Amino acid sequence: MNYIEVSYISSVCGKNKYEPINKTILLLLARHNPRLVRCLLIEGGYITEVDKNEKLYDEKLKKIYSEYKKNITDVTKIEDIHEEIIEKLKSENTDIKDSDISKANVFLESSLKKDCGTNNESSVIKRMKYTKGNNFMHKYKFNDSWELRGFHDASIDDTVIEIKTRTKFINVRKNEYDLYQVFGYLLTMNKTKGKIVQKYENYIFDSDIQTDKEFGIID
């Protein structure tokens, strides 16, 4: 476990209340040694082993979700899609338990927002004529033992672009944790300028100067 992804930098710096540092450390430990973390979580009573004969619905849920995944772009329809998938899961599995529905809701809440953001990146890049990123793993080493690394969304000239899809207009704002993520990409890419571009519905917020809702060019 000798690296941290740029997307988690605000968490490990204690700047993102939505992603507590303990959660991120647990995630990194689980990636490094999943078997050890699994045993510790079972011993602590945080998770329980599932009976091999118990019917699970993970694969069925993911199969249904795969039909929607690449077409989720409208933030106003996320709740409707969520409900539609749950109803489909219920209709195809009449014996499904409430506990399984709760698990499905947690999966969908996270996945729908994430994939909506990913799908919107391409449209923003095309519309704003940015150069698409995500084609190279950028790295920055600390003391030859730790490494910060990640894939950037896009760029224009020498400015690194970080694209954020907002699900509500009220969320179009200057978040400190987004700023830390841009700092991470500037480090890994050896650049000095960055910008956070926000998309809400069909509006793109792409100011070069600081406003009440945007940082502008970060130099």
Side-chain angles (χ1 to χ4, degrees), residues 107-194:
F107 169 79
L108 290 173
E109 186 176 346
S110 170
S111 300
L112 283 165
K113 289 180 181 178
K114 177 178 176 292
D115 289 320
C116 183
T118 300
N119 295 338
N120 272 303
E121 280 179 18
S122 297
S123 64
V124 173
I125 290 169
K126 183 177 180 180
R127 185 166 151 189
M128 304 306 293
K129 298 180 180 178
Y130 297 145
T131 300
K132 184 175 173 57
N134 287 316
N135 58 341
F136 183 79
M137 174 71 79
H138 299 281
K139 300 177 182 180
Y140 182 86
K141 288 193 174 183
F142 298 86
N143 302 322
D144 295 324
S145 57
W146 277 87
E147 189 174 83
L148 179 66
R149 67 190 195 186
F151 295 95
H152 72 298
D153 290 339
S155 61
I156 183 166
D157 298 326
D158 280 335
T159 302
V160 180
I161 303 294
E162 174 63 20
I163 301 170
K164 298 295 181 183
T165 299
R166 306 305 192 193
T167 56
K168 298 177 182 178
F169 179 71
I170 196 173
N171 292 336
V172 179
R173 62 192 179 201
K174 294 183 283 188
N175 295 319
E176 188 179 25
Y177 52 84
D178 291 336
L179 198 58
Y180 270 69
Q181 190 173 354
V182 173
F183 291 161
Y185 287 119
L186 296 182
L187 274 173
T188 59
M189 297 174 70
N190 194 28
K191 300 288 186 181
T192 59
K193 292 184 180 180

Side-chain angles (χ1 to χ4, degrees), residues 3-179:
Y3 71 91
I4 182 73
E5 294 170 16
V6 174
S7 55
Y8 292 115
I9 192 171
S10 60
S11 174
V12 298
C13 289
K15 298 295 182 179
N16 190 343
K17 65 180 180 179
Y18 303 108
E19 292 292 337
I21 188 170
N22 288 345
K23 177 184 174 183
T24 298
I25 291 173
L26 178 62
L27 173 65
L28 293 172
L29 286 170
R31 286 181 178 178
H32 180 68
N33 196 331
R35 186 172 296 178
L36 173 64
V37 172
R38 176 177 176 274
C39 290
L40 290 173
L41 290 175
I42 290 173
E43 285 179 16
Y46 299 105
I47 62 174
T48 56
E49 290 189 89
V50 177
D51 187 334
K52 291 181 179 179
N53 297 319
E54 185 176 343
K55 190 173 182 180
L56 299 176
Y57 299 88
D58 296 30
E59 294 304 318
K60 292 184 178 181
L61 172 62
K62 289 176 182 177
K63 185 177 179 181
I64 294 171
Y65 183 68
S66 67
E67 299 171 9
Y68 296 81
K69 183 174 181 177
K70 293 185 178 180
N71 299 315
I72 305 164
T73 55
D74 189 341
V75 294
T76 65
K77 294 181 179 178
I78 285 180
E79 290 185 9
D80 292 336
I81 295 171
H82 186 142
E83 189 175 328
E84 187 176 321
I85 293 172
I86 290 295
E87 289 305 314
K88 198 168 184 178
L89 182 65
K90 285 181 178 178
S91 65
E92 293 180 5
N93 304 277
T94 53
D95 57 345
I96 194 167
K97 300 175 183 175
D98 288 343
S99 58
D100 292 307
I101 295 298
S102 295
K103 292 174 186 175
N105 282 325
V106 171
F107 169 79
L108 290 173
E109 186 176 346
S110 170
S111 300
L112 283 165
K113 289 180 181 178
K114 177 178 176 292
D115 289 320
C116 183
T118 300
N119 295 338
N120 272 303
E121 280 179 18
S122 297
S123 64
V124 173
I125 290 169
K126 183 177 180 180
R127 185 166 151 189
M128 304 306 293
K129 298 180 180 178
Y130 297 145
T131 300
K132 184 175 173 57
N134 287 316
N135 58 341
F136 183 79
M137 174 71 79
H138 299 281
K139 300 177 182 180
Y140 182 86
K141 288 193 174 183
F142 298 86
N143 302 322
D144 295 324
S145 57
W146 277 87
E147 189 174 83
L148 179 66
R149 67 190 195 186
F151 295 95
H152 72 298
D153 290 339
S155 61
I156 183 166
D157 298 326
D158 280 335
T159 302
V160 180
I161 303 294
E162 174 63 20
I163 301 170
K164 298 295 181 183
T165 299
R166 306 305 192 193
T167 56
K168 298 177 182 178
F169 179 71
I170 196 173
N171 292 336
V172 179
R173 62 192 179 201
K174 294 183 283 188
N175 295 319
E176 188 179 25
Y177 52 84
D178 291 336
L179 198 58

